[in-house]
């Protein structure tokens, strides 16, 4: 990915709105992207549509509801794991200064 060169910002310029990453539209796209959370989110959207669809068989609603809950818990667990890993990798303000580490 090519980067734009840096330049000075004018006094009345505002930064552009941050780009939101595109969410994959299908489970296949999410799966091929390698992003497990995106894959689960795509599956959750499909199940949510089925749950909201009035033509969904009442017999299937229990299984779909249970799977929806399981997927949501798995997404939460993965996000929590990512957050904890990011915290562990962050430098704490309480660490001793070691000049030889430079």
């Amino acid at each position: 990915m090519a980067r734009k060169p840096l330049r000075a910002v004018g006094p009345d310029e505002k930064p552009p709105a941050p780009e939101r990453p595109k969410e994959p539209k299908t489970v296949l796209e999410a799966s091929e992207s390698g992003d497990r959370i995106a894959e689960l989110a795509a599956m959750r959207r499909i199940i949510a549509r089925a749950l909201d669809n009035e033509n969904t068989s009442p017999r299937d609603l229990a299984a779909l509801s249970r799977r929806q809950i399981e997927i949501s818990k798995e997404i939460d667990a993965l996000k929590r794991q990512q957050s904890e890993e990011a915290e562990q990798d962050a430098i704490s303000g309480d660490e001793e200064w070691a000049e030889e580490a430079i």
Side-chain angles (χ1 to χ4, degrees):
M1 178 166 63
R3 297 184 124 185
K4 295 180 182 179
L6 295 177
R7 65 177 181 77
V9 179
D12 24 326
E13 278 187 276
K14 293 185 180 176
E19 291 184 29
R20 293 181 71 197
K22 287 185 178 179
E23 287 193 26
K25 295 184 187 320
T26 67
V27 176
L28 177 62
E29 289 174 357
S31 177
E32 289 175 345
S33 75
D35 183 354
R36 180 72 176 139
I37 292 176
E39 181 181 354
L40 290 168
M43 292 170 62
R44 183 171 61 179
R45 282 191 300 274
I46 290 170
I47 293 172
R49 279 189 215 111
L51 288 169
D52 286 342
N53 187 337
E54 61 187 36
N55 295 324
T56 299
S57 165
R59 175 195 64 186
D60 297 334
L61 287 175
L64 287 169
S65 299
R66 187 170 38 258
R67 189 63 187 132
Q68 178 82 354
I69 292 167
E70 290 169 357
I71 289 173
S72 292
K73 286 181 180 178
E74 191 169 349
I75 289 171
D76 290 343
L78 287 171
K79 286 182 177 180
R80 189 172 30 256
Q81 179 183 2
Q82 285 179 345
S83 173
E84 289 172 1
E85 288 173 358
E87 286 177 14
Q88 289 175 355
D89 291 342
I91 296 175
S92 170
D94 297 331
E95 291 182 15
E96 293 284 327
W97 171 258
E99 189 159 336
E100 61 273 0
I102 296 179

